[in-house]
Structures are given as C-alpha cells and as structure tokens.
Amino acid sequence: MSTFEIAGDDFLLDGRPHRILSGAIHYFRVHPDDWADRIRKARLMGLNTVETYVPWNAHEPQPGEWSAEGALDLARFLRTVQEEGMHAIVRPGPYICAEWDNGGLPAWLFTDPSVGIRRSEPAFLAAVTAFLERVLAIVRPLQVTEGGPVLLVQVENEYGAYGDDKDYLRHLVAVFEGAGITVPLTTVDQPEPAMLENGSLPGLLKTASFGSRSRERLATLREHQPTGPLMCSEFWDGWFDHWGAHHHTTSVEQSAADLDELLALGASVNIYMFHGGTNFGFTNGANDKGVYQPIVTSYDYDAPLDEAGEPTEKYWAFRDVIAKHASVPAEEPVVAAAAPAFSVPFLDAVPLFAVASRLGDWQHTDDLPTFDALGHYAGLGLYRTEIDTAEPAVLEFGEVRDRAYVFVGSTRVGVLARDHHDSAITLSPSRGTLTVLVEDQGRVDYGPRIGEPKGLIGPVRLNGEGLRRWSVLPLRLPPLDAVRAELDAAGSAVEREPERLAGPVFARAAFELVEQGTLFLDTTGWGKGVAWVNGFNLGRYWTRGPQETLHVPAPVTRAGHNELVILELESAADATAAFVSEPRLGHTDF
C-alpha cells in the first residue's frame, strides 16, 4: 500500500513529489481483450497513469439493471492498469459528456419530467447516489492507499459549464467520502473564471481542460486556485467527428509544442485522448447547436494511438516530448502488419419487415408514443397505422428524432431527416398501411437538448387531421438469433449473389481467416446501416462520410469460419463485403 496526498503545490506519492503523466483510455470503447495492449503502449510512450470515465447509461441501461462484466468490467480494467505498473484516475461523473450517448446519463432518468438533472433534487440525488455507491464499491479497494492503482477520483465533469448548485456538489462529495474514497477528489472545468468558480468546492482540487496556450490557461487556473498542483486533466490533442463533415486532425508539431510547454511549467497532465477507440453499437453521442450532428462510430480522435491501437506520428512526437521531462522506457511498441484485404459476396438476405416481429413486441396505442415512453432507449423502431386518402396528402410530425423512412405498403416514399429539419412529406393518394422506420442516431451529449426523447414526436397529422391508432415495435438489436433463423430459412434464395441490396434488409456474408486478427470493413459501397461480425455490433456506417471503414477488433474474429451481418437501411450498390488493409477516415460527401 502507498500514500498519495496533496501538499503545497505538489502531489506526494509515498511522501515524494510526483508528477502525473496520464492518458485517457475509455474501457467501454475498447474490446476488453485489447485493454492490456493499449495500456502497455501508454507506458511505453512515457505515461505513468491511465484515466477513464465511467458511463452510467451503459452500466445501468434500465433502472436497477446493473452490469459490470465483460466490456464493462471496470475492476478488471483497473487491475490491468496496475499489472502494467501504472496508476489510474477514475471519473465517474455522473455526467461524462465524452461524445457518448446522452453524455452518459441514462435516458430513463428523463422520463419523469419532475426529476432535476444535475442538481440537488431528491429523485435525481437518490438515483445518483445508488449509481455512485455501486461504482465506488468497485473503486474503493483499488485505491492506491488500499494497494490498488487509483490516485485520483473526479467529482462531476465540467460542471461549471452547466450549473452552480453547490448543495449538489456537496452531496456528491459526501457520497464519495461515505463510500470510502480517501484519495484526493478533483474537479475539471475549462479555464474560464465563472466555470472554475461554479464547478468546484473548497477542498477539491481544481483542474483545467484545454489543448493549447498552456501557459495562459495554467495562469488562469492558478488565479482561481492559489495553492495545489497544477494539472490539465483534459489536454485535447485532437477532436471528434460527426457525419457529413471532415475528419478532424490537429498539427503534430503544435500539439507536441503545447504539451512541452505544459510540462516545462511543472504541471501534471492527462492527455485526452491517448487512445480513443470506437463507439461500438448504438453508443455514439451527438451535438445540437441549431443543427443536429450525430457523432461517427470511430472515436479515433487523432490520438497518439489510432482507433485500432497503432502508434501514430503523434505518438512518437509526444514520446520525445515526455523524454525531455521524465524517464521513458527504452522499449518501443511493436507496430502491427497491415490487415488482410479481401472481398466476399453476400450469400443471403431477408427484408427487415419480414423478420421485424421476431425482434420485439408490437404495442398498440391511440396516441403516438416516443421510444422513451416505451422504455426503448437506443437503436431503431417501427411505427404503423392505416391511412386512406383519395387525394395527395401532407403527412406532418411534430419532430423526427432522428431519421425516418416512410413507407406506404411495401413502397418507400421518402426520408425525413432531423439534420435537415424535415418534419413533413407529401403522399400520393394512398390506401393501406403507413409504416415509419425510425433511427435514433445518438442522443445529444452536451447542452440544453440532453435527455430529449427519441422516436417520433407528436402531434402527427395527415392533411391537418390527427392520426391515431398506432402500433409501435421497438427493435431489439442485438441479439441476432431471429435474424439468423430467417436468413437460414431464406437459404439458397439469394444464391444468385445480387448486384445490389435494397433496404431495409439484413444481409449475410461468410469469410475464412487463417488466424484471429484486426480487420477493417470497407463500407463505401453501401448506403447507411449497422454491421455485426460474429454477433458483435461494430456500429453504424453511412456513405455520407467522413468514416469509410469499420474497425473489427482482433478478439471479435476467429481462425476459420466468420460471419458478417449488415442491416442496410437504404441501398447498397455493391452486394459484396470488402475488407481493406488500413482504416480510412477522410472522405466527406455532403
């Protein structure tokens, strides 16, 4: 066991001044069998600490439904950090932002409008307390003072940009201390006077988040915290991407120079991100500052380790900078060989509508419900009702969240896109079943629209008359068992290997590998959808770009037979699956 404390302007580890050189790795964005590799590469770059957020909504997707196993095994992650001879920083929020769905806050919190999010309101405090007690029960025995790796634990996250409820912060501190957290507690805010004052309490170490002008930003931090170690706990070395924009990169030379300046001033640092990883499944967040912008599947972040865990030019530049200020291991990380490149045809396919009823339960209601009202907090769902109009008619919704494919019978008649502010479509004279397939493209993770419900938002009218008697089917994906059964039943019906796939459709391909290994799935020949390899949800793809490949972690693959399933929502001009030798993130198609 060790001691770790703050004395004067220093961190003291076992009584000696200690500088934290940390890098962010989110365990929930990396396959657990890859954790050790990424952590080891952090040490070889010269870091001595690994930092992670804790996503409440992943650990507790439904009230009381708690999971801390597999990819959510925080204890295993922290022990892996310790096994590499490193320390850890844990940031459990409860709000994390992180470009993660809903900023990490569970969507079910918002279904009761009386709950006061991120403030001292009783229902919220009760839910937060229960969550934190579960997380801190994992962290407590892994503190450095208990023989574990954890040096610091953060209270809330950039709270000064959101509110100034000191009673709320005091409640959180009481929960942390009551749970046995004895290592120093920190807060983080951007180095703006109001944020630094509103986002912390006396007795908590204030830290700052920035990615440039290190001297100026640390001076602002010092003005608001006269004593204590200086720390940038989010040194932004890159940025995130959203669909339809360019892939963000930062200058290697400038980022290295800013890091050098920060370290020369004696500050501690947490590099955000050291390794970003991937928004697997339906976990990406979104921004909305007037235009809705969902985050892409890749969380590459232009970090020192790329999405697949390989060192970049920035890795070597940062390693050289750190070597000027601290000891860096002589050993260098091994760079992986290029991934195998090959193509395989899709062998069978089945329309989504043919299998939908096996992916959930239809619910019937007079009024139009949101996904949230049905307890469905991610992915896709179907809305159906009957219409009968002898003349062209305008179908209008209050709001679409976030993309709706409109069908009359089996014919797709149009798409309503939230990022284009679409809410109405003109229908030809129609009689029959109106079906609307809705995709939740990711919940807003920052700002006033956090927590908003998904699906279709009423009222809904056809030529001004309210439409009622809805049937709604939340789609459960995964598992894929029902999809596989339908594909097996389809059998040889698609042996002709179609030239294209007209969505919404599930399609399956098979491929053989000599050995387990990382792959990069090329999605440029497809429209928009989701992909699974051996049942593991790789995340979303979209021809809009900038992302052109999906990262397939090596532990997901296996020697011998492998399966790829996609759900193509629009249209794939190329009914083959291609794997390429390296990731591609640069394409943009507006």
Side-chain angles (χ1 to χ4, degrees):
M1 292 188 290
S2 295
T3 61
F4 189 73
E5 57 191 334
I6 293 171
D9 293 341
D10 293 314
F11 292 116
L12 297 183
L13 178 62
D14 293 328
R16 297 182 178 181
H18 179 77
R19 193 211 302 252
I20 295 173
L21 300 172
S22 177
I25 304 174
H26 297 157
Y27 61 100
F28 45 93
R29 281 180 159 130
V30 181
H31 192 286
D33 291 348
D34 282 332
W35 289 344
D37 172 78
R38 310 310 192 247
I39 292 166
R40 185 167 187 270
K41 287 171 179 172
R43 182 180 64 81
L44 295 181
M45 197 179 81
L47 302 179
N48 58 28
T49 304
V50 169
E51 173 271 320
T52 186
Y53 280 128
V54 179
W56 183 0
N57 56 359
H59 283 279
E60 193 176 10
Q62 299 283 345
E65 183 183 308
W66 178 256
S67 175
E69 300 175 347
L72 297 174
D73 193 341
L74 174 60
R76 175 187 168 187
F77 178 77
L78 294 175
R79 287 194 297 267
T80 305
V81 170
Q82 186 174 26
E83 289 164 2
E84 193 58 41
M86 301 182 75
H87 291 119
I89 299 169
V90 179
R91 302 205 286 167
Y95 166 76
I96 64 172
C97 186
E99 292 72 58
W100 185 258
D101 187 64
N102 219 39
L105 294 171
W108 50 261
L109 274 174
F110 298 82
T111 56
D112 181 352
S114 69
V115 174
I117 304 299
R118 299 180 77 189
R119 59 184 175 89
S120 51
E121 184 277 321
F124 181 66
L125 292 184
V128 167
T129 299
F131 160 67
L132 288 176
E133 286 177 344
R134 287 189 177 105
V135 173
L136 299 176
I138 296 170
V139 174
R140 184 197 58 74
L142 293 170
Q143 296 175 98
V144 69
T145 51
E146 302 290 331
V150 178
L151 295 177
L152 299 173
V153 177
Q154 183 179 290
V155 177
E156 251 285 352
N157 188 55
E158 293 192 334
Y159 186 66
Y162 179 85
D164 60 358
D165 187 337
K166 300 296 187 178
D167 287 340
Y168 167 58
L169 294 178
R170 280 189 282 268
H171 177 89
L172 295 183
V173 171
V175 173
F176 280 71
E177 293 176 345
I181 301 303
T182 58
V183 296
L185 300 178
T186 69
T187 57
V188 62
D189 282 287
Q190 296 178 44
E192 299 288 338
M195 293 183 186
L196 289 168
E197 289 304 313
N198 293 339
S200 193
L201 293 171
L204 304 181
L205 179 68
K206 296 177 181 177
T207 70
S209 54
F210 56 85
S212 61
R213 293 161 34 209
S214 298
R215 182 179 297 275
E216 173 189 337
R217 269 64 186 270
L218 289 175
T220 301
L221 176 60
R222 179 56 80 204
E223 289 173 8
H224 293 269
Q225 183 164 260
T227 62
L230 289 172
M231 182 171 183
C232 175
S233 60
E234 282 193 25
F235 178 76
W236 303 325
D237 60 354
W239 208 243
F240 54 88
D241 297 338
H242 64 263
W243 294 111
H246 64 284
H247 172 52
H248 291 80
T249 60
T250 59
S251 163
V252 173
E253 294 76 15
Q254 187 60 54
S255 291
D258 288 324
L259 177 61
D260 191 18
E261 181 179 51
L262 187 153
L263 297 179
L265 292 167
S268 289
V269 69
N270 175 55
I271 295 169
Y272 191 99
M273 298 290 298
F274 167 71
H275 170 54
T278 307
N279 295 314
F280 294 119
F282 302 113
T283 59
N284 65 278
N287 283 305
D288 193 332
K289 298 178 181 179
V291 176
Y292 175 75
Q293 297 176 319
I295 307 299
V296 304
T297 299
S298 171
Y299 200 63
D300 177 84
Y301 213 83
D302 195 34
L305 282 194
D306 70 12
E307 183 184 7
E310 294 304 314
T312 66
E313 184 182 352
K314 195 172 287 181
Y315 181 97
W316 304 109
F318 280 15
R319 192 172 188 267
D320 289 343
V321 167
I322 293 169
K324 295 168 61 176
H325 304 276
S327 176
V328 171
E331 182 184 357
E332 295 183 352
V334 176
V335 178
F342 59 94
S343 297
V344 291
F346 283 107
L347 299 176
D348 40 23
V350 61
L352 168 63
F353 296 154
V355 69
S357 294
R358 299 183 62 184
L359 298 175
D361 299 312
W362 286 102
Q363 302 187 44
H364 308 284
T365 175
D366 278 343
D367 297 319
L368 186 77
T370 64
F371 283 180
D372 298 60
L374 301 173
H376 184 53
Y377 301 120
L380 301 105
L382 289 173
Y383 290 79
R384 277 185 179 164
T385 190
E386 298 299 314
I387 60 173
D388 187 353
T389 173
E391 302 292 335
V394 176
L395 176 66
E396 185 175 10
F397 299 95
E399 191 175 348
V400 171
R401 297 180 186 159
D402 302 303
R403 190 171 180 87
Y405 300 90
V406 182
F407 299 80
V408 175
S410 60
T411 302
R412 194 177 91 178
V413 296
V415 180
L416 300 175
R418 174 178 177 178
D419 54 343
H420 293 166
H421 301 286
D422 296 335
S423 61
I425 187 171
T426 300
L427 305 180
S428 301
S430 304
R431 182 180 185 181
T433 301
L434 171 72
T435 301
V436 186
L437 170 62
V438 182
E439 180 190 7
D440 161 9
Q441 294 183 279
R443 293 174 186 266
V444 172
D445 55 66
Y446 186 89
R449 299 201 70 155
I450 195 167
E452 62 186 6
K454 291 293 189 175
L456 296 178
I457 311 301
V460 55
R461 296 185 176 91
L462 187 65
N463 268 357
E465 296 292 327
L467 274 181
R468 300 176 64 81
R469 302 188 67 180
W470 289 91
S471 296
V472 187
L473 177 65
L475 296 176
R476 292 195 297 267
L477 292 169
L480 293 179
D481 295 346
V483 175
R484 291 193 183 99
E486 289 290 337
L487 288 166
D488 291 342
S492 61
V494 196
E495 281 188 355
R496 60 186 183 278
E497 298 178 8
E499 295 180 359
R500 61 187 297 272
L501 295 170
V505 62
F506 287 101
R508 179 170 60 181
F511 58 94
E512 302 289 323
L513 293 176
V514 175
E515 60 183 1
Q516 193 178 60
T518 299
L519 299 174
F520 302 103
L521 177 61
D522 183 355
T523 63
T524 54
W526 307 337
K528 188 180 195 308
V530 188
W532 295 261
V533 166
N534 296 330
F536 182 89
N537 192 331
L538 303 177
R540 311 175 204 253
Y541 63 84
W542 198 355
T543 189
R544 178 179 288 192
Q547 184 173 346
E548 296 182 336
T549 55
L550 286 175
H551 169 228
V552 185
V556 168
T557 68
R558 53 192 175 225
H561 181 80
N562 292 264
E563 174 198 67
L564 167 69
V565 174
I566 69 168
L567 170 56
E568 172 59 56
L569 298 174
E570 299 186 352
S571 178
D574 188 354
T576 62
F579 294 86
V580 294
S581 59
E582 60 185 15
R584 296 201 300 259
L585 294 170
H587 172 66
T588 300
D589 180 6
F590 291 99

